[in-house]
Amino acid sequence: MTKYFPLLLSLLLLACSKAASREIVSGQTPRSIILRDSNSEVTYKNIVGDKEGFDRKLITINDSPALRASARYKFYYTLTPKENEILIDCAYFDVRNIYNGTRVSTAICGLNTQLTENYDEIAQDYSNTWRESFFSFDTKEIFETGIGKDFFLGKIGEIEIFDRYPSANSLENSAPQKIIKSRSGCFNFADAVGFLVFINKDNPTLHYLDVLRSEDPLRLQRMQEQDLKKIAVKKCT
């Protein structure tokens, strides 16, 4: 067995090298992107560029390839190369709820959906559904009184997550503050955008809070229940 170990190690290193060399880049054909490695290229047409009012671009999220589709609202899609195809792992949406003026910043991960030119419909479908469900709370009182209010969004383990609209102006500008509450206290993310991240496209369950830390380049900080517990220790106000 010992004499075969160097050969096995070489094969493993070669396999890792090939996997690492796979990349997603802009294509020479207009509106296309390319999945390529040292041996082959696969072209995906009609992925970037204008489409029905959306400006679609190849970007990075946390230094990994992603797509952004933006118009009045913003949609992001993380990409995963797998063998000779590109899969969409997560779809993020940052939109305004037309029903009550609230901001809907959420994501669905674990999609494992093959990339097609109609990928932008994924986030739109989910955002439309969630705008009508747990983001459909009544905000009329804030407009009438001008007094702020917290709205419960969901739980990650023992952590409760709220959107706080401190005033009518914050609601008019669709600018909530993410508030988390634990048994030990609270934490206010202030102006930072927090995406509620759901897993399992067939039966979505809330697992993470992804906090936007930078827009150019785009960087998200993924926070799990234990991460949130560590900071939710301040006095609740």
Side-chain angles (χ1 to χ4, degrees):
M1 179 66 183
T2 304
K3 66 179 180 180
Y4 295 115
F5 182 74
L7 176 59
L8 290 172
L9 181 60
S10 297
L11 291 173
L12 286 171
L13 290 173
L14 180 60
C16 291
S17 175
K18 286 184 177 181
S21 66
R22 192 181 295 120
E23 59 181 350
I24 299 171
V25 298
S26 296
Q28 294 183 346
T29 303
R31 304 167 62 86
S32 71
I33 65 172
I34 292 174
L35 171 64
R36 70 183 183 192
D37 58 24
S38 56
N39 298 315
S40 63
E41 288 188 351
V42 180
T43 299
Y44 285 76
K45 297 180 179 179
N46 300 319
I47 300 298
V48 295
D50 292 337
K51 181 193 176 189
E52 299 177 356
F54 282 92
D55 178 28
R56 305 183 302 171
K57 291 184 178 180
L58 181 65
I59 63 168
T60 62
I61 296 179
N62 295 349
D63 299 321
S64 295
L67 291 165
R68 182 186 69 206
S70 58
R72 291 175 59 197
Y73 308 127
K74 294 179 181 178
F75 303 94
Y76 305 98
Y77 307 83
T78 58
L79 305 178
T80 303
K82 183 179 180 182
E83 297 177 354
N84 291 321
E85 63 178 353
I86 299 175
L87 300 179
I88 296 174
D89 180 31
C90 299
Y92 291 81
F93 17 104
D94 189 3
V95 304
R96 182 160 193 173
N97 195 337
I98 60 175
Y99 303 105
N100 58 8
T102 61
R103 185 173 192 162
V104 181
S105 50
T106 48
I108 180 75
C109 287
L111 292 171
N112 290 321
T113 299
Q114 188 176 40
L115 176 65
T116 70
E117 62 181 276
N118 295 318
Y119 66 90
D120 45 348
E121 296 176 0
I122 297 172
Q124 293 184 59
D125 289 343
Y126 275 102
S127 66
N128 288 338
T129 298
W130 289 344
R131 277 188 285 191
E132 296 176 4
S133 58
F134 64 91
F135 276 94
S136 65
F137 39 79
D138 188 358
T139 57
K140 184 178 179 181
E141 182 180 341
I142 298 178
F143 281 119
E144 291 180 343
T145 66
I147 299 173
K149 191 174 181 179
D150 292 355
F151 297 95
F152 177 70
L153 300 178
K155 295 180 69 174
I156 299 176
E158 297 178 358
I159 299 293
E160 296 180 333
I161 302 176
F162 299 79
D163 264 355
R164 171 175 294 175
Y165 288 90
S167 64
N169 184 63
S170 65
L171 186 55
E172 288 170 359
N173 292 300
S174 191
Q177 299 171 353
K178 276 290 183 298
I179 307 291
I180 59 171
K181 296 182 180 181
S182 71
R183 294 178 180 177
S184 302
C186 297
F187 184 83
N188 186 341
F189 283 93
D191 296 333
V193 177
F195 292 90
L196 302 179
V197 182
F198 292 79
I199 302 295
N200 188 347
K201 59 185 177 182
D202 298 319
N203 184 27
T205 54
L206 182 57
H207 274 248
Y208 312 109
L209 182 68
D210 280 6
V211 182
L212 181 63
R213 295 306 188 189
S214 168
E215 290 198 60
D216 189 17
L218 200 148
R219 294 190 179 280
L220 297 169
Q221 179 187 8
R222 173 151 293 182
M223 306 194 76
Q224 304 181 49
E225 180 185 6
Q226 293 303 316
D227 302 316
L228 297 171
K229 279 184 176 180
K230 290 178 182 178
I231 61 175
V233 294
K234 297 183 178 181
K235 182 179 179 180
C236 297
T237 57

